Amino acid sequence: MASTSTLICGVCESQHTTTNADFWCPECDEGLCTHCLKHHSASKATRSHGVIPVDNYKQLPTSIANISQHCSQHDRKFQNYCPQHESLCCPLCIQSNHATCLGMLSLENVIQTAKTSVLLESLDQSLKDIKINIERVVKDRKENLVEIHEQKQKFHDEMKQVRNKINEHLNTLEKRTLQELSAAETKVKSKIEDLLGKIAKNTEHINSMENNISAVKDYASDLQAFLGSKMIETEIQKYETFLQSLFDDGSLRKIDINCKINDKITDILSTVTSLGIISIESSSPLVLMKSGKEIQAQFLQHIPPLTINDITMTLQSKFQFNHITGCFFSSSGDIVLIDYGKRRLLILKEDGTLKSEMPLSTPQPVDGTCIDDKTVAVSFQYSNQIQIINVSTKTVDRTIKTAGNCYGLCHSDDHLLYCDTGRGIQKVNMSDNCSSTLVKDNTLSAWSYIATSKDRIFYTNNFKHTVTCCSLTGEKIWENKDQSVYRPRGISVDKDSNVYIASSGNNSIVVLSSDGKQARKLLGEDDGINNPFD
């Protein structure tokens, strides 16, 4: 835990006054009295700092509380994180030690989700799993001790029965054999009890670490939570290694005491020199360990969200078609194209070779979306309809009538969302074909497209040159009017909510940041981009 000694207000101390601190500012790395906190909270430079009460600060583990915001070598505040070296960097650190490092990240972006990261939760779960495993090991070893004692008693009784049938010579043999049997039990018992002692010591440390994680979640700063998680992760790996070593070195192999009574016991006076042979046998462990290691391996290192400055595009393959207005992937990984010019549905393999095609009887298909492994939906420009098509049988399963011209189309949670010219974003329930207006936008133009991601809807307006982000209930979150997305059409979203736009007016592919405030061209005419649709 953090030091329990009295903390002094840093501001007062700089003015040669000693005042006990009532609060702690992790970003300033100093204590604040109640009076100085008022100025700290009012100042533009510090009002956003996450101040916590001193009592809460003292509950942090010492190793977490001692994490500094500033570089000890250059006395500058850390501003970046180098994933290549897994280290914090101030501006001077980058110049001196990380000038050639690639993928340098903003520290603000790295730590903003530290407390809610999957890593911290997985560490907490790992500790719980270790405790469960310890309980199972202890139970298994104790049960083995009971079995060994019962086995000993069993052979002891057998020997008593034999002893009653033979002469005085058997007493000597019996005594010798019982000593061997007891020695075997003592040897196994000592070994298991030593192991239980080690496990008990580790259990105390695990309980302490659980308290530390709870303190980190509740009171640590984001930076402390981020770096502290890595410290705790290292300790957890030690305990996981310890438990794994019990399997590897045979400590958990089931141990039995075996005694085989000599078949020639009747010849004891002349030939038999021992009443039984004592041996210790081991077999595969019966205890099952609970381990999420395979599932959690992807979370052992916290990966910050990808920003638009980190994104690069590389041409992998190129397919030549004319007037393609819709493109999406099927659930099996095939590429599905909407051929506006020839009024057909094309299905390509990953290498671009044609797998199958289907003529579309209704004029001017525009866009499509995958519903399941056999079914796709296609929107049509002038016939005011959406067709649900079975790609296996190449038949139209049903037709959904729309109120106006239908352009961009996507599927989400058993609903179809589509762009309706002059009306806005419409929502169709797949179970009953009932439709409703999700986003009212009477300025929505022809050749507008839509996409969904997580809890948001994104759509383009080709004539207004805008990209709009809404909630799933239709409330506008942001709207981008950057000229780099002139005449935007096709739209897609990645796992980090970065938005990709086909800008037909600028002959480019543009990516927008998740908040819609920044735009960056990824591909242009020099890369072969010409009038992109989707």
Side-chain angles (χ1 to χ4, degrees), residues 316-332:
Q316 292 187 339
S317 52
K318 187 175 182 179
F319 316 132
Q320 189 68 39
F321 294 97
N322 293 322
H323 217 167
I324 300 298
T325 58
C327 175
F328 60 96
F329 287 92
S330 71
S331 58
S332 61

Side-chain angles (χ1 to χ4, degrees), residues 123 126-127 130 134 198 202 205-206 209 230-246 293 300:
L123 295 178
S126 295
L127 286 174
I130 289 174
I134 288 175
K198 293 179 182 178
N202 278 282
H205 293 304
I206 295 301
M209 290 178 67
K230 288 188 171 292
M231 294 179 186
I232 297 173
E233 178 187 15
T234 301
E235 293 299 314
I236 288 177
Q237 289 176 346
K238 293 180 181 178
Y239 296 123
E240 289 176 335
T241 302
F242 168 71
L243 287 178
Q244 184 61 43
S245 70
L246 300 184
K293 200 169 187 65
L300 292 182

Side-chain angles (χ1 to χ4, degrees), residues 74-135:
H74 301 114
D75 196 26
R76 297 285 188 90
K77 189 172 182 179
F78 292 124
Q79 296 181 8
N80 295 90
Y81 178 74
C82 176
Q84 185 172 337
H85 294 93
E86 293 190 353
S87 64
L88 302 180
C89 307
C90 73
L92 294 181
C93 287
I94 297 177
Q95 296 176 17
S96 59
N97 302 321
H98 303 272
T100 61
C101 294
L102 300 177
M104 195 70 67
L105 302 173
S106 166
L107 183 58
E108 182 179 359
N109 291 336
V110 171
I111 69 173
Q112 63 184 351
T113 59
K115 282 192 177 182
T116 58
S117 70
V118 180
L119 173 61
L120 199 58
E121 291 300 324
S122 67
L123 295 178
D124 196 12
Q125 184 59 48
S126 295
L127 286 174
K128 290 183 172 62
D129 290 344
I130 289 174
K131 290 187 67 175
I132 292 173
N133 290 338
I134 288 175
E135 291 173 358

Side-chain angles (χ1 to χ4, degrees), residues 20-32:
N20 289 344
D22 301 308
F23 300 89
W24 180 264
C25 177
E27 294 191 49
C28 295
D29 198 24
E30 66 178 358
L32 297 168

Side-chain angles (χ1 to χ4, degrees), residues 16-290:
H16 309 292
T17 302
T18 301
T19 308
N20 289 344
D22 301 308
F23 300 89
W24 180 264
C25 177
E27 294 191 49
C28 295
D29 198 24
E30 66 178 358
L32 297 168
C33 65
T34 303
H35 176 74
C36 291
L37 176 65
K38 295 179 181 179
H39 299 285
H40 184 276
S41 301
S43 173
K44 183 177 181 179
T46 58
R47 66 179 61 158
S48 62
H49 291 186
V51 178
I52 62 174
V54 164
D55 290 341
N56 292 350
Y57 169 73
K58 290 180 177 180
Q59 294 187 51
L60 288 173
T62 302
S63 57
I64 303 298
N66 289 339
I67 294 174
S68 175
Q69 302 272 347
H70 293 78
C71 173
S72 59
Q73 182 179 357
H74 301 114
D75 196 26
R76 297 285 188 90
K77 189 172 182 179
F78 292 124
Q79 296 181 8
N80 295 90
Y81 178 74
C82 176
Q84 185 172 337
H85 294 93
E86 293 190 353
S87 64
L88 302 180
C89 307
C90 73
L92 294 181
C93 287
I94 297 177
Q95 296 176 17
S96 59
N97 302 321
H98 303 272
T100 61
C101 294
L102 300 177
M104 195 70 67
L105 302 173
S106 166
L107 183 58
E108 182 179 359
N109 291 336
V110 171
I111 69 173
Q112 63 184 351
T113 59
K115 282 192 177 182
T116 58
S117 70
V118 180
L119 173 61
L120 199 58
E121 291 300 324
S122 67
L123 295 178
D124 196 12
Q125 184 59 48
S126 295
L127 286 174
K128 290 183 172 62
D129 290 344
I130 289 174
K131 290 187 67 175
I132 292 173
N133 290 338
I134 288 175
E135 291 173 358
R136 291 178 177 178
V137 168
V138 171
K139 180 181 177 182
D140 177 77
R141 296 297 84 192
K142 288 183 177 179
E143 289 176 349
N144 200 175
L145 284 176
V146 172
E147 290 179 1
I148 290 172
H149 181 73
E150 292 174 348
Q151 291 163 359
K152 172 201 168 185
Q153 190 63 46
K154 171 187 173 183
F155 296 123
H156 182 271
D157 294 341
E158 288 182 9
M159 287 184 289
K160 283 292 185 182
Q161 294 175 9
V162 174
R163 183 175 178 275
N164 293 332
K165 298 178 182 179
I166 59 179
N167 58 29
E168 187 177 358
H169 179 66
L170 185 60
N171 291 330
T172 303
L173 298 179
E174 179 192 26
K175 182 178 180 181
R176 184 190 307 166
T177 305
L178 285 177
Q179 289 174 345
E180 294 176 356
L181 186 63
S182 298
E185 182 195 24
T186 300
K187 180 178 179 181
V188 174
K189 183 177 180 181
S190 176
K191 182 177 180 181
I192 293 179
E193 288 179 342
D194 287 345
L195 175 60
L196 292 175
K198 293 179 182 178
I199 292 174
K201 291 181 180 179
N202 278 282
T203 302
E204 294 176 2
H205 293 304
I206 295 301
N207 292 332
S208 176
M209 290 178 67
E210 274 194 314
N211 295 332
N212 289 347
I213 280 192
S214 177
V216 169
K217 287 182 177 180
D218 293 337
Y219 309 120
S221 69
D222 292 338
L223 176 61
Q224 293 171 335
F226 173 74
L227 294 182
S229 297
K230 288 188 171 292
M231 294 179 186
I232 297 173
E233 178 187 15
T234 301
E235 293 299 314
I236 288 177
Q237 289 176 346
K238 293 180 181 178
Y239 296 123
E240 289 176 335
T241 302
F242 168 71
L243 287 178
Q244 184 61 43
S245 70
L246 300 184
F247 278 97
D248 298 339
D249 63 15
S251 297
L252 298 184
R253 295 182 66 85
K254 187 175 182 296
I255 299 174
D256 297 302
I257 296 178
N258 189 28
C259 180
K260 184 178 181 181
I261 303 301
N262 198 319
D263 294 335
K264 297 181 179 181
I265 194 68
T266 55
D267 298 332
I268 189 171
L269 294 177
S270 58
T271 61
V272 178
T273 59
S274 66
L275 189 59
I277 299 174
I278 306 300
S279 63
I280 298 175
E281 299 176 354
S282 62
S283 58
S284 300
L286 298 179
V287 60
L288 296 177
M289 292 289 190
K290 178 183 179 182

Side-chain angles (χ1 to χ4, degrees), residues 364-379:
Q364 284 16 95
V366 176
D367 196 17
T369 186
C370 178
I371 296 177
D372 54 40
D373 57 350
K374 296 181 179 179
T375 313
V376 300
V378 178
S379 61

